[in-house]
Amino acid sequence: MLVKSQHYRTIWSKQPLANGLGTVSIIDQTKLPHAFEIKRIENLQAMIVAIKTMQVRGAPLIGAAAAYGLALAMQEDASDQFLQAAADQLIQSRPTAVNLNWAVQRMLKLLAPLPELSRNQVAWAEAVKICDEDVLLNQAIGQHGLSLIEHASQRAVKIKGQAAVTHILTHCNAGWLATVDVGTALAPIYAAHDAGMNVHVWVDETRPRNQGASLTSWELAQHGVPHTVISDNAGGHLMQQGLVDLVIVGADRVTSTGDVCNKIGTYLKALAAFDNQVPFYAAVPSPTIDWNITNGLAHIEIEYRHADEVAYMQGLAADGSLQSVRVIPAESTAINPAFDVTPARLVTGIITENGIFTPAKLNLNQQY
Ligand code: MRU
């Protein structure tokens, strides 16, 4: 994606040269939309902090970041003991998105059998490969999802009797910023916009961290896609008014049976979509599917983040400074579950890099 006419990915590296150390660069997402800052990550601990504090976030991106975390670890100490300890720490840094575990296991499988001397170089090459693959998966999701938007647009013409704008609602940020590039839920929207279709996106603000209001709106604006930020509670009303043609969200973990775990509040959108016969799709690259589990409610660990993310809101003050303000009484407490599970029965389909599957047929995707 272009930011001020320059192409960026969300994460990239300077590989280690003969006698130098490799580094990783990220876009610090805690500063967006008010400042575009690039941060250099030079060791494993800094990468763990970046993942925990959500300087990098989004399931595919934290997978890529974890792979780079192991590359950074291998240039600190390539011993078996450090490799395993680094892998354990990375896996624990955020528990819900399966991409992180997937990337760490892939790196471990490759690195563990190697002699210590060759681990560093191989780890950097594999992390780059994981990033490049992520971009290709997301581009394929974009092409498959484009057909859904074309279909929704034809449906809207039939119902409303005119060539209308296609309104797509999305939750959280499952775009360019949540992946290495392109995005998952936003990939079909970018593809439709680039093909000249008239699309408009309803962007859920996505409390408590406001990934919709701060990040999705920012990247849609960078790409020139028409969009409107709405409060988290507005989606159901808009659906009742016939103003939503399609819902597309991302996912942090999808079971083999099609239960979709995604940012907190996704489930409520799925319920409203079901009640209003609005198609509800999740865009999911295969590293987000956990083939080992069948029941999302029973088997997926939901991350609970600090209650201060609910108690406080961050924003730009009139003097241009970033400020945090408390929005609940001093006497009140808060809790902060970061994800929820939408049962497969509420999911119309899953857009993968291999095509679109109903939840019941998702296991067909495993053959690829
Ligand atoms: O807590 P976050 O911001 O990492 O949560 C992100 C989401 O829930 C996304 O929808 C999901 O990771 C899919 S990203 C392609």
Side-chain angles (χ1 to χ4, degrees):
M1 184 169 170
L2 293 176
V3 179
K4 293 180 194 147
S5 316
Q6 198 178 329
H7 180 259
Y8 284 91
R9 283 183 172 187
T10 51
I11 192 164
W12 63 96
S13 59
K14 202 163 124 221
Q15 309 276 334
L17 299 173
N19 50 5
L21 295 176
T23 57
V24 180
S25 295
I26 59 164
I27 295 167
D28 182 350
Q29 300 195 23
T30 61
K31 301 284 166 38
L32 288 170
H34 307 297
F36 183 77
E37 284 181 17
I38 290 164
K39 187 176 169 74
R40 210 158 61 191
I41 308 277
E42 295 180 342
N43 54 52
L44 169 68
Q45 281 315 315
M47 186 59 90
I48 290 172
V49 169
I51 294 171
K52 283 186 173 170
T53 61
M54 294 173 63
Q55 290 168 340
V56 284
R57 44 146 301 281
L61 178 54
I62 59 176
Y68 272 127
L70 282 181
L72 289 163
M74 288 303 89
Q75 69 185 10
E76 288 171 48
D77 175 351
S79 67
D80 282 353
Q81 205 186 3
F82 197 70
L83 174 61
Q84 192 57 55
D88 292 345
Q89 284 184 65
L90 283 161
I91 288 170
Q92 283 156 18
S93 61
R94 287 200 78 190
T96 302
V98 73
N99 305 59
L100 200 155
N101 185 54
W102 169 86
V104 169
Q105 298 306 339
R106 172 166 159 172
M107 296 288 285
L108 272 183
K109 200 169 158 196
L110 185 71
L111 298 176
L114 297 179
E116 287 183 17
L117 264 182
S118 43
R119 283 180 180 164
N120 184 15
Q121 205 188 356
V122 172
W124 284 95
E126 191 67 6
V128 170
K129 204 167 156 208
I130 285 175
C131 290
D132 291 345
E133 284 175 16
D134 179 65
V135 177
L136 294 177
L137 296 182
N138 298 334
Q139 283 168 343
I141 284 175
Q143 287 313 307
H144 290 300
L146 175 60
S147 65
L148 285 179
I149 299 180
E150 284 165 348
H151 187 256
S153 132
Q154 285 155 11
R155 186 169 160 262
V157 170
K158 257 192 217 151
I159 294 169
K160 295 170 191 164
Q162 56 188 19
V165 178
T166 305
H167 297 280
I168 303 154
L169 184 140
T170 193
H171 192 67
C172 193
N173 172 263
W176 171 60
L177 290 167
T179 61
V180 175
D181 202 352
V182 181
T184 58
L186 296 193
I189 294 170
Y190 288 130
H193 176 79
D194 292 347
M197 291 179 67
N198 243 337
V199 285
H200 165 262
V201 186
W202 296 115
V203 179
D204 283 351
E205 62 175 344
T206 320
R207 274 282 281 154
R209 287 191 65 110
N210 293 321
Q211 290 95 327
S214 302
L215 304 178
T216 299
S217 56
W218 181 81
E219 64 166 87
L220 289 173
Q222 293 294 317
H223 204 83
V225 180
H227 63 280
T228 307
V229 179
I230 54 174
S231 71
D232 284 325
N233 302 322
H237 168 73
L238 294 176
M239 290 182 206
Q240 287 174 323
Q241 299 299 312
L243 292 171
V244 181
D245 298 305
L246 182 65
V247 179
I248 311 181
V249 298
D252 291 84
R253 195 183 289 236
V254 171
T255 66
S256 59
T257 49
D259 291 345
V260 172
C261 179
N262 190 46
K263 180 52 54 190
I264 192 80
T266 303
Y267 169 52
L268 291 177
K269 294 302 139 65
L271 281 173
F274 191 78
D275 195 42
N276 290 282
Q277 294 91 49
V278 175
F280 180 95
Y281 285 88
V284 179
S286 49
T288 306
I289 304 174
D290 189 339
W291 295 109
N292 299 317
I293 57 173
T294 51
N295 181 336
L297 278 170
H299 299 144
I300 298 177
E301 179 183 347
I302 300 293
E303 176 185 9
Y304 272 69
R305 294 187 60 84
H306 202 286
D308 279 357
E309 291 182 355
V310 176
Y312 290 83
M313 283 184 79
Q314 185 178 279
L316 200 64
D319 65 0
S321 63
L322 264 188
Q323 285 187 14
S324 187
V325 292
R326 190 171 173 98
V327 291
I328 70 170
E331 305 76 29
S332 300
T333 54
I335 60 160
N336 188 10
F339 300 96
D340 62 24
V341 175
T342 298
R345 67 186 162 80
L346 301 175
V347 178
T348 313
I350 313 239
I351 313 166
T352 75
E353 70 272 16
N354 300 312
I356 303 171
F357 299 85
T358 59
K361 297 259 171 73
L362 184 59
N363 58 355
L364 292 180
N365 185 46
Q366 204 171 6
Q367 75 198 29
Y368 290 94

